[in-house]
Amino acid sequence: DFNLRGVFRTGADGRYWFRAVKPKYYPIPDDGPVGKLLGVLGRHPYRPAHLHYIIKAHGFETLTTHIFDPDDPYIQSDAVFGVKESLLAQFQHVEDSVRSNELGFSGKFWQIEHDFVLARPEE
Ligand SMILES: [Fe+2]
């Protein structure tokens, strides 16, 4: 149902913004062979909080990636080993009632600023 998903278009300058729900860690399905493997390895099934992106622009390679909350309790032990330094975003806690009203929040909120860099296709 496209729940917690969206399609957005940047401005001509490539800038973007959107409101969302702050992500939280979640477990990958562990009721099958993957769960058995994790159990044998003594690993938990959790992925740290993250936001997925698929970014497309004419003249550039499509980028499929995600960014992570560096303060997540599972940031050092992602069940699928997807975390790397360049994918850590900074979640800033904002207490600004004017800005909160402008964005339609009822109080404090979290803000992320993250730049994505797209590669040109190899010729
Ligand atoms: Fe995910």
Side-chain angles (χ1 to χ4, degrees):
D1 297 336
F2 240 64
N3 187 22
L4 299 175
R5 292 164 174 80
V7 177
F8 307 96
R9 184 176 299 272
T10 70
D13 58 1
R15 295 180 64 88
Y16 70 98
W17 78 274
F18 59 90
R19 284 179 27 156
V21 175
K22 186 178 186 289
K24 188 174 183 179
Y25 60 82
Y26 66 84
I28 60 172
D30 65 348
D31 56 349
V34 171
K36 287 182 182 172
L37 176 62
L38 290 170
V40 168
L41 296 173
R43 295 187 55 85
H44 63 74
Y46 289 93
R47 298 218 62 206
H50 57 273
L51 294 164
H52 291 272
Y53 291 87
I54 300 174
I55 303 171
K56 298 178 179 181
H58 291 291
F60 294 90
E61 293 185 10
T62 296
L63 174 64
T64 302
T65 189
H66 40 7
I67 57 175
F68 293 88
D69 179 354
D71 297 324
D72 187 278
Y74 296 103
I75 198 67
Q76 298 293 333
S77 60
D78 182 10
V80 302
F81 305 102
V83 177
K84 60 182 183 178
E85 185 79 25
S86 63
L87 299 178
L88 299 179
Q90 293 302 316
F91 286 71
Q92 297 176 307
H93 205 208
V94 179
E95 294 185 40
D96 178 337
S97 60
V98 173
R99 188 71 178 135
S100 180
N101 284 337
E102 288 173 355
L103 297 174
F105 292 116
S106 59
K108 303 175 214 171
F109 62 95
W110 293 88
Q111 177 174 294
I112 304 171
E113 289 191 29
H114 194 84
D115 293 330
F116 296 96
V117 178
L118 303 180
R120 297 222 180 251
E122 293 184 33
E123 305 199 17

